[in-house]
Amino acid sequence: ETLDQIRILVAQVDENNSGKLDFREYMRLMRLSREKELTNILSVFDRYKKKDTGRIHKNAIGLGLKELAYTSLPKDTQYRDIDSLDFDAFVGLVDACRNELVAKEKKKAGFTDD
């Protein structure tokens, strides 16, 4: 999410307009953020799933991940030898990709790959 998108979400949950979030407001922010993310994942999943099975085939998983801005499967993953994924498994895969990306970025400590 961009900084502007985050500011919009914060404004939605800052009920007392203090410019600061209390714990309840923070939890609501996290829930709204996750709901938005799941809506985006569902949209991508629906685009690539097979109509007859309701599952995303292994040939389309990479396309779906790329559309969600992830370039590869996580290194340690149970998803390498699968034939297809249902929505819940696809969400798990996306979460694993995000977790790996976050870990990689933390290791760089703000430096770029260049």
Side-chain angles (χ1 to χ4, degrees):
E1 294 184 56
T2 67
L3 190 54
D4 288 336
Q5 291 170 326
I6 292 170
R7 285 185 177 129
I8 291 168
L9 285 174
V10 168
Q12 288 176 340
V13 300
D14 186 11
E15 294 176 0
N16 58 5
N17 296 317
S18 67
K20 300 177 182 177
L21 299 180
D22 62 25
F23 181 73
R24 193 172 60 90
E25 291 168 334
Y26 173 78
M27 293 302 290
R28 185 162 181 243
L29 174 66
M30 292 298 99
R31 191 188 83 238
L32 287 175
S33 178
R34 182 64 172 170
E35 287 173 356
K36 183 178 175 187
E37 179 184 33
L38 288 172
T39 298
N40 191 29
I41 294 169
L42 179 61
S43 174
V44 169
F45 181 84
D46 283 345
R47 233 181 329 283
Y48 291 104
K49 74 179 180 185
K50 290 189 168 207
K51 303 299 180 221
D52 58 337
T53 64
R55 298 172 68 88
I56 187 170
H57 190 267
K58 66 181 174 185
N59 295 336
I61 291 171
L63 297 172
L65 290 176
K66 186 174 182 180
E67 194 169 325
L68 293 166
Y70 298 108
T71 56
S72 64
L73 289 173
K75 288 181 179 95
D76 284 337
T77 184
Q78 72 264 20
Y79 301 102
R80 292 213 181 277
D81 297 322
I82 49 90
D83 185 50
S84 64
L85 297 174
D86 63 13
F87 177 67
D88 289 337
F90 187 64
V91 169
L93 175 59
V94 171
D95 288 345
C97 289
R98 183 186 60 249
N99 291 340
E100 189 168 283
L101 179 63
V102 167
K104 179 181 174 186
E105 292 299 314
K106 280 183 181 179
K107 284 182 182 178
K108 292 191 318 187
F111 294 99
T112 64
D113 287 331
D114 299 330

